[in-house]
Amino acid sequence: LQDISERKQAEEELARERRIADAETVVRLRIASMDHARDLFGVVAAIGDQLSALHVEHDSCTIQIINSEGTDFISCSRKDAGESNLRPLEILHSLSWEPASDNVSRYPWVCDVWRTGRSSYVPCTDDTSPLPQGLSLVDAAFSHGTLALNRLGVNAFDPAQIALIERFARLLTEGFSRFF
């Protein structure tokens, strides 16, 4: 009976790894098809969809691209996909741009995560945060910024979900090395 249980557990783990590998393939293909900065909207949508399919529920998925000096960053999320939000992405033909926003002063942890390469998890924002109170937030570093997911609710992400977010951030590093 124990052998059957162990075998079933091993089969479930293999199936889970196959689902993750399939999700990574979807994201890699989306990144590989990037021709313009506006294609980031499709990449962030693919990441969000694939993470949802892997039971990483979230309210927002955002790619934050930091300029090479670490003095500014641009956020790209599915909700930003409107025509009026394409303008900030136009400067992404290079990673050297002059600061055009107050993002770094408003959200200083983003550049800290990028510089250190260590993910940040805030299980519950409070009234000292510039973000809504009671939000769980994960920022995972990649070569050119962070991948951020948030969800309204306390302790909304567990260690396995954070590890998946970090894994998808590594996919961004692979893809962005050819884009920039």
Side-chain angles (χ1 to χ4, degrees):
L1 191 61
Q2 184 176 354
D3 288 343
I4 293 171
S5 176
E6 288 173 1
R7 187 172 131 207
K8 183 171 173 64
Q9 186 177 0
E11 287 172 354
E12 288 172 0
E13 183 57 32
L14 278 173
R16 179 181 177 278
E17 277 302 316
R18 275 194 302 273
R19 286 191 305 276
I20 293 170
D22 290 346
E24 288 176 329
T25 298
V26 169
V27 171
R28 279 189 177 103
L29 290 171
R30 182 59 80 144
I31 292 169
S33 71
M34 283 178 52
D35 290 325
H36 307 283
R38 69 178 171 270
D39 296 334
L40 282 170
F41 293 121
V43 171
V44 75
I47 291 171
D49 291 346
Q50 295 306 311
L51 285 169
S52 289
L54 294 169
H55 308 290
V56 180
E57 299 303 324
H58 56 279
D59 297 321
S60 176
C61 177
T62 306
I63 297 172
Q64 296 162 145
I65 306 199
I66 300 173
N67 67 357
S68 53
E69 295 80 26
T71 56
D72 194 19
F73 67 86
I74 295 170
S75 294
C76 179
S77 68
R78 188 185 305 229
K79 70 176 176 61
D80 297 326
E83 197 65 35
S84 64
N85 290 316
L86 289 177
R87 191 156 202 58
L89 292 177
E90 291 173 2
I91 63 175
L92 286 181
H93 59 277
S94 107
L95 291 175
S96 293
W97 73 83
E98 293 296 315
S101 74
D102 63 348
N103 286 340
V104 171
S105 61
R106 288 179 60 207
Y107 313 105
W109 66 87
V110 173
C111 286
D112 292 342
V113 167
W114 172 67
R115 280 189 185 101
T116 65
R118 287 191 309 261
S119 296
S120 170
Y121 176 46
V122 177
C124 183
T125 54
D126 58 24
D127 58 1
T128 64
S129 173
L131 299 170
Q133 208 167 340
L135 192 70
S136 292
L137 173 70
V138 177
D139 266 287
F142 74 96
S143 59
H144 296 83
T146 70
L147 172 62
L149 274 81
N150 67 48
R151 185 168 183 203
L152 193 56
V154 177
N155 298 314
F157 300 104
D158 65 34
Q161 292 171 321
I162 294 168
L164 271 174
I165 295 165
E166 292 169 337
R167 197 165 163 171
F168 278 77
R170 287 190 294 277
L171 292 178
L172 288 171
T173 293
E174 292 172 20
F176 273 65
S177 63
R178 76 161 200 65
F179 190 72
F180 291 105

